[in-house]
Amino acid sequence: MASEMAGTRRPGGRTERTRLAVLQATLDLLAEQGFTNLTVDAVADRSGVHKTTIYRRWESTDGLVAAALRLGTEQPWTAPDTGTLAGDLAETLLELVQYFTEPGLRELPTASVLAAFHSPRAAEALHAFYEDRHGRSAVMVTRAIARGEAPAGTDAAEVVRVASGPIFYRLFISREPVTAADAHVAAAAAAAAARAGVFVRDSAGGAESEASPSHGGDPVA
């Protein structure tokens, strides 16, 4: 995710070069110092772009960080294709684990998540990044349905959310180590739930529930 957040475009003139220089400087400083210590003056010094230009276009550090985080949606990314849903999810989660745990990579994605707690605009940008990633990941579920691994109507974004949930819980809630083994377990669990129809949505947009047993007596706990 660190490199994803630092997506680039081919040179498109001075304006584009200025934009990328400023936003890349923002990402670098965000990773180094965190959102609360980020200043427009520091971004100007790092990028070589005058601060009046930065204020005119992005207004504040909130605007800078929001625009910088949206760079991730410009970065090419293709969902893995291993031949199974569990394999595809595992590869996706292994990449996630790498970005959030490897020194030199983990600083930016961690700072990006923390920035979202301080700035509504950063939160919106981070949400847009993950919405984009969910959209690109949907093909994993589409292929799984075609292979008979999951029923039609499976909510692809929800499969990815549930698979990723244990990773983010360990990273940001319980503060436990996260390993490749954890990624494989989370992927297998999400794939099994998808196969069982847990993520199939009804016409109202909610998850379909299991039918109640037709026999009498107390329900089994």
Side-chain angles (χ1 to χ4, degrees), residues 23-25 37-38 48 59 68 93 97 104 106 108 110 135-137 139 147 149 157 164 168 175 179 182 187 199 204:
L23 297 185
Q24 186 61 58
N37 294 316
L38 184 68
E59 299 178 350
L93 296 185
V97 170
R106 67 189 180 193
L108 178 57
T110 300
R136 301 192 203 192
S137 300
V139 66
R147 289 191 296 258
E149 291 183 275
S164 305
F168 283 109
R175 303 295 295 161
T179 67
D182 299 318
F199 305 116

PDB file of all heavy atoms in Angstrom, residues 23-25 37-38 48 59 68 93 97 104 106 108 110 135-137 139 147 149 157 164 168 175 179 182 187 199 204:
ATOM      1  N   LEU A  23       2.483  16.398  -3.985  1.00  0.00           N
ATOM      2  CA  LEU A  23       1.789  15.287  -3.341  1.00  0.00           C
ATOM      3  C   LEU A  23       2.763  14.194  -2.910  1.00  0.00           C
ATOM      4  O   LEU A  23       2.564  13.548  -1.876  1.00  0.00           O
ATOM      5  CB  LEU A  23       0.706  14.734  -4.270  1.00  0.00           C
ATOM      6  CG  LEU A  23      -0.410  15.733  -4.621  1.00  0.00           C
ATOM      7  CD1 LEU A  23      -1.487  15.060  -5.438  1.00  0.00           C
ATOM      8  CD2 LEU A  23      -0.995  16.388  -3.373  1.00  0.00           C
ATOM      9  N   GLN A  24       3.824  13.982  -3.681  1.00  0.00           N
ATOM     10  CA  GLN A  24       4.832  13.014  -3.255  1.00  0.00           C
ATOM     11  C   GLN A  24       5.553  13.505  -2.003  1.00  0.00           C
ATOM     12  O   GLN A  24       5.827  12.725  -1.084  1.00  0.00           O
ATOM     13  CB  GLN A  24       5.844  12.756  -4.369  1.00  0.00           C
ATOM     14  CG  GLN A  24       6.843  11.645  -4.033  1.00  0.00           C
ATOM     15  CD  GLN A  24       6.159  10.315  -3.790  1.00  0.00           C
ATOM     16  OE1 GLN A  24       5.452   9.814  -4.656  1.00  0.00           O
ATOM     17  NE2 GLN A  24       6.350   9.750  -2.601  1.00  0.00           N
ATOM     18  N   ALA A  25       5.843  14.789  -1.949  1.00  0.00           N
ATOM     19  CA  ALA A  25       6.457  15.361  -0.743  1.00  0.00           C
ATOM     20  C   ALA A  25       5.521  15.206   0.455  1.00  0.00           C
ATOM     21  O   ALA A  25       5.962  14.917   1.572  1.00  0.00           O
ATOM     22  CB  ALA A  25       6.788  16.834  -0.976  1.00  0.00           C
ATOM     23  N   ASN A  37       2.050  16.497  12.669  1.00  0.00           N
ATOM     24  CA  ASN A  37       3.270  17.295  12.559  1.00  0.00           C
ATOM     25  C   ASN A  37       3.511  17.823  11.143  1.00  0.00           C
ATOM     26  O   ASN A  37       4.505  18.511  10.900  1.00  0.00           O
ATOM     27  CB  ASN A  37       4.483  16.472  12.997  1.00  0.00           C
ATOM     28  CG  ASN A  37       4.430  16.126  14.471  1.00  0.00           C
ATOM     29  OD1 ASN A  37       4.103  16.963  15.306  1.00  0.00           O
ATOM     30  ND2 ASN A  37       4.745  14.877  14.796  1.00  0.00           N
ATOM     31  N   LEU A  38       2.613  17.511  10.247  1.00  0.00           N
ATOM     32  CA  LEU A  38       2.772  17.923   8.850  1.00  0.00           C
ATOM     33  C   LEU A  38       2.417  19.402   8.704  1.00  0.00           C
ATOM     34  O   LEU A  38       1.415  19.861   9.249  1.00  0.00           O
ATOM     35  CB  LEU A  38       1.861  17.079   7.963  1.00  0.00           C
ATOM     36  CG  LEU A  38       1.963  17.305   6.450  1.00  0.00           C
ATOM     37  CD1 LEU A  38       3.305  16.815   5.929  1.00  0.00           C
ATOM     38  CD2 LEU A  38       0.821  16.572   5.740  1.00  0.00           C
ATOM     39  N   GLY A  48       9.969  21.916  -3.287  1.00  0.00           N
ATOM     40  CA  GLY A  48      10.517  23.013  -4.082  1.00  0.00           C
ATOM     41  C   GLY A  48       9.453  23.874  -4.720  1.00  0.00           C
ATOM     42  O   GLY A  48       9.753  24.689  -5.604  1.00  0.00           O
ATOM     43  N   GLU A  59      -5.135  24.487  -0.165  1.00  0.00           N
ATOM     44  CA  GLU A  59      -5.708  25.231   0.959  1.00  0.00           C
ATOM     45  C   GLU A  59      -5.059  24.944   2.313  1.00  0.00           C
ATOM     46  O   GLU A  59      -4.872  25.849   3.114  1.00  0.00           O
ATOM     47  CB  GLU A  59      -7.219  24.974   1.074  1.00  0.00           C
ATOM     48  CG  GLU A  59      -8.010  25.399  -0.145  1.00  0.00           C
ATOM     49  CD  GLU A  59      -9.474  25.082   0.002  1.00  0.00           C
ATOM     50  OE1 GLU A  59      -9.847  24.361   0.955  1.00  0.00           O
ATOM     51  OE2 GLU A  59     -10.251  25.542  -0.857  1.00  0.00           O
ATOM     52  N   ALA A  68      -3.185  13.630  -1.718  1.00  0.00           N
ATOM     53  CA  ALA A  68      -2.081  12.674  -1.798  1.00  0.00           C
ATOM     54  C   ALA A  68      -2.570  11.241  -1.637  1.00  0.00           C
ATOM     55  O   ALA A  68      -2.116  10.327  -2.342  1.00  0.00           O
ATOM     56  CB  ALA A  68      -1.032  12.996  -0.734  1.00  0.00           C
ATOM     57  N   LEU A  93      -3.989 -10.601   0.803  1.00  0.00           N
ATOM     58  CA  LEU A  93      -3.699 -10.327   2.212  1.00  0.00           C
ATOM     59  C   LEU A  93      -2.208 -10.363   2.503  1.00  0.00           C
ATOM     60  O   LEU A  93      -1.720  -9.610   3.356  1.00  0.00           O
ATOM     61  CB  LEU A  93      -4.432 -11.328   3.102  1.00  0.00           C
ATOM     62  CG  LEU A  93      -5.961 -11.269   3.051  1.00  0.00           C
ATOM     63  CD1 LEU A  93      -6.560 -12.238   4.065  1.00  0.00           C
ATOM     64  CD2 LEU A  93      -6.476  -9.863   3.302  1.00  0.00           C
ATOM     65  N   VAL A  97      -0.241  -7.476   4.419  1.00  0.00           N
ATOM     66  CA  VAL A  97       0.638  -7.703   5.568  1.00  0.00           C
ATOM     67  C   VAL A  97       2.018  -7.104   5.301  1.00  0.00           C
ATOM     68  O   VAL A  97       2.618  -6.458   6.174  1.00  0.00           O
ATOM     69  CB  VAL A  97       0.746  -9.207   5.885  1.00  0.00           C
ATOM     70  CG1 VAL A  97       1.851  -9.466   6.909  1.00  0.00           C
ATOM     71  CG2 VAL A  97      -0.587  -9.735   6.411  1.00  0.00           C
ATOM     72  N   GLY A 104      10.192   0.479   6.203  1.00  0.00           N
ATOM     73  CA  GLY A 104      10.384   1.165   4.931  1.00  0.00           C
ATOM     74  C   GLY A 104       9.138   1.200   4.085  1.00  0.00           C
ATOM     75  O   GLY A 104       9.015   2.039   3.190  1.00  0.00           O
ATOM     76  N   ARG A 106       5.871   0.180   5.865  1.00  0.00           N
ATOM     77  CA  ARG A 106       4.742   0.271   6.796  1.00  0.00           C
ATOM     78  C   ARG A 106       4.436   1.697   7.256  1.00  0.00           C
ATOM     79  O   ARG A 106       3.315   1.996   7.690  1.00  0.00           O
ATOM     80  CB  ARG A 106       5.022  -0.603   8.019  1.00  0.00           C
ATOM     81  CG  ARG A 106       6.170  -0.106   8.889  1.00  0.00           C
ATOM     82  CD  ARG A 106       6.538  -1.112   9.954  1.00  0.00           C
ATOM     83  NE  ARG A 106       7.633  -0.628  10.781  1.00  0.00           N
ATOM     84  CZ  ARG A 106       8.314  -1.401  11.620  1.00  0.00           C
ATOM     85  NH1 ARG A 106       8.017  -2.682  11.723  1.00  0.00           N
ATOM     86  NH2 ARG A 106       9.289  -0.881  12.351  1.00  0.00           N
ATOM     87  N   LEU A 108       4.052   4.668   5.751  1.00  0.00           N
ATOM     88  CA  LEU A 108       3.034   5.444   5.040  1.00  0.00           C
ATOM     89  C   LEU A 108       1.628   4.889   5.219  1.00  0.00           C
ATOM     90  O   LEU A 108       0.718   5.653   5.564  1.00  0.00           O
ATOM     91  CB  LEU A 108       3.380   5.563   3.562  1.00  0.00           C
ATOM     92  CG  LEU A 108       2.344   6.310   2.709  1.00  0.00           C
ATOM     93  CD1 LEU A 108       2.101   7.708   3.257  1.00  0.00           C
ATOM     94  CD2 LEU A 108       2.780   6.374   1.257  1.00  0.00           C
ATOM     95  N   THR A 110       0.413   3.107   7.583  1.00  0.00           N
ATOM     96  CA  THR A 110       0.017   3.296   8.980  1.00  0.00           C
ATOM     97  C   THR A 110      -0.334   4.754   9.240  1.00  0.00           C
ATOM     98  O   THR A 110      -1.374   5.059   9.842  1.00  0.00           O
ATOM     99  CB  THR A 110       1.146   2.846   9.916  1.00  0.00           C
ATOM    100  OG1 THR A 110       1.435   1.467   9.685  1.00  0.00           O
ATOM    101  CG2 THR A 110       0.746   3.038  11.378  1.00  0.00           C
ATOM    102  N   GLY A 135     -13.428  -2.455  -5.819  1.00  0.00           N
ATOM    103  CA  GLY A 135     -13.891  -2.607  -7.185  1.00  0.00           C
ATOM    104  C   GLY A 135     -12.945  -3.436  -8.031  1.00  0.00           C
ATOM    105  O   GLY A 135     -13.366  -4.284  -8.826  1.00  0.00           O
ATOM    106  N   ARG A 136     -11.646  -3.210  -7.856  1.00  0.00           N
ATOM    107  CA  ARG A 136     -10.666  -3.975  -8.627  1.00  0.00           C
ATOM    108  C   ARG A 136     -10.577  -5.430  -8.147  1.00  0.00           C
ATOM    109  O   ARG A 136     -10.190  -6.311  -8.916  1.00  0.00           O
ATOM    110  CB  ARG A 136      -9.293  -3.317  -8.517  1.00  0.00           C
ATOM    111  CG  ARG A 136      -9.247  -1.889  -9.021  1.00  0.00           C
ATOM    112  CD  ARG A 136      -7.815  -1.426  -9.148  1.00  0.00           C
ATOM    113  NE  ARG A 136      -7.702   0.025  -9.106  1.00  0.00           N
ATOM    114  CZ  ARG A 136      -6.595   0.685  -9.420  1.00  0.00           C
ATOM    115  NH1 ARG A 136      -5.516   0.025  -9.798  1.00  0.00           N
ATOM    116  NH2 ARG A 136      -6.561   2.005  -9.345  1.00  0.00           N
ATOM    117  N   SER A 137     -10.917  -5.658  -6.876  1.00  0.00           N
ATOM    118  CA  SER A 137     -10.852  -7.009  -6.328  1.00  0.00           C
ATOM    119  C   SER A 137     -12.064  -7.857  -6.687  1.00  0.00           C
ATOM    120  O   SER A 137     -12.036  -9.079  -6.510  1.00  0.00           O
ATOM    121  CB  SER A 137     -10.740  -6.939  -4.792  1.00  0.00           C
ATOM    122  OG  SER A 137      -9.586  -6.249  -4.388  1.00  0.00           O
ATOM    123  N   VAL A 139     -13.237  -8.975  -9.300  1.00  0.00           N
ATOM    124  CA  VAL A 139     -13.026 -10.038 -10.275  1.00  0.00           C
ATOM    125  C   VAL A 139     -12.675 -11.363  -9.612  1.00  0.00           C
ATOM    126  O   VAL A 139     -12.978 -12.433 -10.141  1.00  0.00           O
ATOM    127  CB  VAL A 139     -11.927  -9.616 -11.290  1.00  0.00           C
ATOM    128  CG1 VAL A 139     -10.566  -9.484 -10.610  1.00  0.00           C
ATOM    129  CG2 VAL A 139     -11.852 -10.593 -12.438  1.00  0.00           C
ATOM    130  N   ARG A 147     -16.494 -20.540 -11.286  1.00  0.00           N
ATOM    131  CA  ARG A 147     -15.923 -21.857 -10.999  1.00  0.00           C
ATOM    132  C   ARG A 147     -16.806 -22.693 -10.082  1.00  0.00           C
ATOM    133  O   ARG A 147     -16.509 -23.850  -9.819  1.00  0.00           O
ATOM    134  CB  ARG A 147     -14.547 -21.694 -10.337  1.00  0.00           C
ATOM    135  CG  ARG A 147     -13.449 -21.183 -11.247  1.00  0.00           C
ATOM    136  CD  ARG A 147     -12.092 -21.313 -10.577  1.00  0.00           C
ATOM    137  NE  ARG A 147     -11.985 -20.482  -9.399  1.00  0.00           N
ATOM    138  CZ  ARG A 147     -11.333 -19.312  -9.344  1.00  0.00           C
ATOM    139  NH1 ARG A 147     -10.736 -18.842 -10.436  1.00  0.00           N
ATOM    140  NH2 ARG A 147     -11.273 -18.622  -8.225  1.00  0.00           N
ATOM    141  N   GLU A 149     -17.302 -21.883  -6.894  1.00  0.00           N
ATOM    142  CA  GLU A 149     -16.779 -21.770  -5.524  1.00  0.00           C
ATOM    143  C   GLU A 149     -17.652 -20.906  -4.631  1.00  0.00           C
ATOM    144  O   GLU A 149     -17.502 -20.941  -3.407  1.00  0.00           O
ATOM    145  CB  GLU A 149     -15.375 -21.163  -5.547  1.00  0.00           C
ATOM    146  CG  GLU A 149     -14.293 -22.020  -6.128  1.00  0.00           C
ATOM    147  CD  GLU A 149     -12.951 -21.322  -6.026  1.00  0.00           C
ATOM    148  OE1 GLU A 149     -12.623 -20.519  -6.923  1.00  0.00           O
ATOM    149  OE2 GLU A 149     -12.246 -21.573  -5.039  1.00  0.00           O
ATOM    150  N   ALA A 157     -17.311  -7.060  -2.445  1.00  0.00           N
ATOM    151  CA  ALA A 157     -16.652  -6.141  -1.518  1.00  0.00           C
ATOM    152  C   ALA A 157     -16.699  -6.667  -0.097  1.00  0.00           C
ATOM    153  O   ALA A 157     -15.732  -6.533   0.666  1.00  0.00           O
ATOM    154  CB  ALA A 157     -17.301  -4.762  -1.596  1.00  0.00           C
ATOM    155  N   SER A 164     -10.046  -9.153   5.102  1.00  0.00           N
ATOM    156  CA  SER A 164      -9.052  -8.192   5.596  1.00  0.00           C
ATOM    157  C   SER A 164      -9.241  -7.859   7.069  1.00  0.00           C
ATOM    158  O   SER A 164      -8.281  -7.434   7.736  1.00  0.00           O
ATOM    159  CB  SER A 164      -9.141  -6.887   4.790  1.00  0.00           C
ATOM    160  OG  SER A 164      -8.998  -7.121   3.406  1.00  0.00           O
ATOM    161  N   PHE A 168      -6.434  -6.155   9.945  1.00  0.00           N
ATOM    162  CA  PHE A 168      -6.505  -4.816  10.513  1.00  0.00           C
ATOM    163  C   PHE A 168      -6.773  -4.850  12.016  1.00  0.00           C
ATOM    164  O   PHE A 168      -6.297  -3.972  12.754  1.00  0.00           O
ATOM    165  CB  PHE A 168      -7.569  -3.993   9.786  1.00  0.00           C
ATOM    166  CG  PHE A 168      -7.126  -3.504   8.442  1.00  0.00           C
ATOM    167  CD1 PHE A 168      -7.671  -4.038   7.274  1.00  0.00           C
ATOM    168  CD2 PHE A 168      -6.159  -2.526   8.332  1.00  0.00           C
ATOM    169  CE1 PHE A 168      -7.250  -3.585   6.029  1.00  0.00           C
ATOM    170  CE2 PHE A 168      -5.733  -2.064   7.088  1.00  0.00           C
ATOM    171  CZ  PHE A 168      -6.279  -2.601   5.935  1.00  0.00           C
ATOM    172  N   ARG A 175      -3.008  -4.999  18.517  1.00  0.00           N
ATOM    173  CA  ARG A 175      -1.578  -4.731  18.412  1.00  0.00           C
ATOM    174  C   ARG A 175      -0.753  -6.003  18.526  1.00  0.00           C
ATOM    175  O   ARG A 175       0.302  -6.049  19.149  1.00  0.00           O
ATOM    176  CB  ARG A 175      -1.136  -3.713  19.475  1.00  0.00           C
ATOM    177  CG  ARG A 175      -1.884  -2.391  19.426  1.00  0.00           C
ATOM    178  CD  ARG A 175      -1.616  -1.650  18.147  1.00  0.00           C
ATOM    179  NE  ARG A 175      -0.204  -1.243  18.052  1.00  0.00           N
ATOM    180  CZ  ARG A 175       0.397  -0.911  16.924  1.00  0.00           C
ATOM    181  NH1 ARG A 175      -0.272  -1.003  15.779  1.00  0.00           N
ATOM    182  NH2 ARG A 175       1.662  -0.523  16.919  1.00  0.00           N
ATOM    183  N   THR A 179       1.318 -12.214  10.655  1.00  0.00           N
ATOM    184  CA  THR A 179       2.216 -13.059   9.880  1.00  0.00           C
ATOM    185  C   THR A 179       1.538 -13.561   8.610  1.00  0.00           C
ATOM    186  O   THR A 179       0.326 -13.403   8.417  1.00  0.00           O
ATOM    187  CB  THR A 179       2.658 -14.270  10.704  1.00  0.00           C
ATOM    188  OG1 THR A 179       1.505 -15.113  10.927  1.00  0.00           O
ATOM    189  CG2 THR A 179       3.245 -13.846  12.050  1.00  0.00           C
ATOM    190  N   ASP A 182      -1.300 -15.845   9.381  1.00  0.00           N
ATOM    191  CA  ASP A 182      -2.565 -15.165   9.678  1.00  0.00           C
ATOM    192  C   ASP A 182      -3.299 -14.799   8.393  1.00  0.00           C
ATOM    193  O   ASP A 182      -4.532 -14.890   8.314  1.00  0.00           O
ATOM    194  CB  ASP A 182      -2.302 -13.886  10.485  1.00  0.00           C
ATOM    195  CG  ASP A 182      -1.639 -14.168  11.823  1.00  0.00           C
ATOM    196  OD1 ASP A 182      -2.041 -15.126  12.490  1.00  0.00           O
ATOM    197  OD2 ASP A 182      -0.710 -13.411  12.180  1.00  0.00           O
ATOM    198  N   ALA A 187      -7.852 -15.706   4.802  1.00  0.00           N
ATOM    199  CA  ALA A 187      -8.305 -15.953   3.434  1.00  0.00           C
ATOM    200  C   ALA A 187      -9.140 -17.219   3.352  1.00  0.00           C
ATOM    201  O   ALA A 187     -10.197 -17.241   2.702  1.00  0.00           O
ATOM    202  CB  ALA A 187      -7.093 -16.056   2.501  1.00  0.00           C
ATOM    203  N   PHE A 199     -22.291 -14.378   2.102  1.00  0.00           N
ATOM    204  CA  PHE A 199     -22.232 -13.035   1.554  1.00  0.00           C
ATOM    205  C   PHE A 199     -23.220 -12.791   0.416  1.00  0.00           C
ATOM    206  O   PHE A 199     -23.149 -11.762  -0.254  1.00  0.00           O
ATOM    207  CB  PHE A 199     -20.819 -12.736   1.047  1.00  0.00           C
ATOM    208  CG  PHE A 199     -19.767 -12.953   2.098  1.00  0.00           C
ATOM    209  CD1 PHE A 199     -18.799 -13.938   1.931  1.00  0.00           C
ATOM    210  CD2 PHE A 199     -19.746 -12.203   3.255  1.00  0.00           C
ATOM    211  CE1 PHE A 199     -17.828 -14.156   2.890  1.00  0.00           C
ATOM    212  CE2 PHE A 199     -18.784 -12.411   4.225  1.00  0.00           C
ATOM    213  CZ  PHE A 199     -17.821 -13.389   4.045  1.00  0.00           C
ATOM    214  N   ALA A 204     -33.237  -6.760  -0.928  1.00  0.00           N
ATOM    215  CA  ALA A 204     -33.240  -5.531  -0.134  1.00  0.00           C
ATOM    216  C   ALA A 204     -31.822  -5.084   0.202  1.00  0.00           C
ATOM    217  O   ALA A 204     -31.619  -4.067   0.839  1.00  0.00           O
ATOM    218  CB  ALA A 204     -34.027  -5.740   1.160  1.00  0.00           C
TER     219      ALA A 204
END
